[in-house]
Amino acid sequence: MFDLSGRVILITGASRGIGRAVALEVARAGSDVVLHHRANAARCEQLRGEIAKLGAEARIVSGDVANPEDIGRFVRTAGDWKGRLDGLVTAAGLFRGDATPAVGPSDFSVVLRTDLEGTFRTVQASLPYLRKSVRPAVVTVSSVLGAHAASGGVAYQAAKAGVEQATRALALELAPRIRVNAVAPGYIRTDMNREGRADPRFAAAVANATPLGRWGEPDDVAPVVRYLLSLEADWVTGLVLGVDGGVPLR
Ligand code: NAD
């Protein structure tokens, strides 16, 4: 089930957190992996070693997803490696949770450029390589905050709402050749929220707001991404799949 043998999958933001867990998961499923990072080559080298032990190959690329030229360059390197991309997972992302009065002149646009335009430009640059695959699939990464409001972090929430609609629009435009789906994780324990989790009241409030009673882990998200990349999801496109412990149910 959910076998990815012989595939080549590019994962942005692969040095840590959800991207890293996805890289290991797809390698376990038999795929070769292109690991993208912005400035964490050492962690990607270590991850490449772990992937080699699973019997898969990894290639490392780097660049800023808020910079379309960088994206063009690292996607070319990724695609030229095996001459195609069978999958793309856009896990690179930036969280800012500031209340509105504290959002400075460039704070809003940097989140939109990274999370929303970065996702779109990465898909766009990958198209020539995805088109060379037999059954290509893209998985974008939204958030439970893409459809359910929280106090603070307006730019992040607007960007993730944009990722969800961009996912549906791309799914329609690229059908029937390329499937495009999103995962929308709930509260996942990663570096992104390490500072927030240091406050025990916040950590407990999140667990209490989650019907399944705990924070999520990157490994809760990775198998769902693997499913969306696999042939078992061959008739699934334009879906935003919550992986959130039931947060929206409340
Ligand atoms: P993380 O901070 O550990 O990982 C994010 C990665 O994106 C990092 O490796 C970071 O270097 C990279 N990145 C950020 N800006 C970049 C840029 N401009 N160029 C290139 N790389 C950049 O956090 P994570 O939780 O693993 O986040 C992965 C994705 O999941 C993000 O899109 C995030 O919004 C989303 N998400 C996370 C949560 C959560 O609770 N952790 C919930 C919902 C969605």
Side-chain angles (χ1 to χ4, degrees):
M1 289 280 273
F2 315 138
D3 182 47
L4 299 173
S5 297
R7 305 211 124 210
V8 190
I9 298 175
L10 167 60
I11 297 156
T12 66
S15 66
R16 65 187 206 197
I18 292 170
R20 182 179 195 282
V22 169
L24 285 165
E25 181 73 21
V26 302
R28 248 179 251 121
S31 180
D32 292 329
V33 193
V34 185
L35 307 168
H36 158 269
H37 68 95
R38 179 173 45 178
N40 217 328
R43 285 177 87 155
C44 278
E45 280 298 345
Q46 190 196 0
L47 180 56
R48 172 155 63 182
E50 289 180 50
I51 286 171
K53 285 189 199 139
L54 296 168
E57 276 186 85
R59 165 111 212 212
I60 298 170
V61 299
S62 67
D64 181 352
V65 301
N67 177 338
E69 281 177 23
D70 271 22
I71 293 173
R73 186 182 38 72
F74 77 71
V75 168
R76 263 196 309 281
T77 308
D80 288 344
W81 182 35
K82 305 266 180 182
R84 67 177 199 285
L85 291 172
D86 300 302
L88 166 67
V89 181
T90 56
L94 176 67
F95 176 74
R96 293 267 193 277
D98 298 319
T100 292
V103 177
S106 61
D107 293 344
F108 195 89
S109 59
V110 76
V111 173
L112 283 178
R113 271 190 288 120
T114 306
D115 291 351
L116 178 53
E117 186 167 357
T119 297
F120 172 73
R121 296 285 174 206
T122 308
V123 175
Q124 182 188 45
S126 299
L127 287 180
Y129 298 101
L130 290 164
R131 289 203 170 103
K132 290 186 179 148
S133 168
V134 181
R135 301 302 298 154
V138 174
V139 180
T140 63
V141 180
S142 179
S143 162
V144 71
L145 299 178
H148 301 274
S151 189
V154 170
Y156 182 78
Q157 297 181 57
K160 292 301 191 181
V163 167
E164 296 191 4
Q165 186 61 4
T167 299
R168 287 185 280 263
L170 285 164
L172 182 60
E173 184 182 332
L174 301 178
R177 274 290 286 130
I178 304 172
R179 296 185 301 104
V180 188
N181 293 288
V183 285
Y187 295 90
I188 311 294
R189 286 199 316 149
T190 67
D191 288 345
M192 187 169 269
N193 45 49
R194 194 162 25 124
E195 272 178 36
R197 277 184 289 115
D199 174 355
R201 279 170 310 177
F202 175 71
V206 165
N208 288 335
T210 304
L212 292 184
R214 63 169 174 85
W215 280 73
E217 303 293 334
D219 280 337
D220 288 311
V221 180
V224 178
V225 175
R226 172 176 171 178
Y227 159 68
L228 290 171
L229 291 167
S230 73
L231 286 182
E232 279 81 353
D234 197 42
W235 215 46
V236 177
T237 199
L239 179 70
V240 177
L241 187 42
V243 189
D244 53 28
V247 169
L249 301 173
R250 288 238 161 99

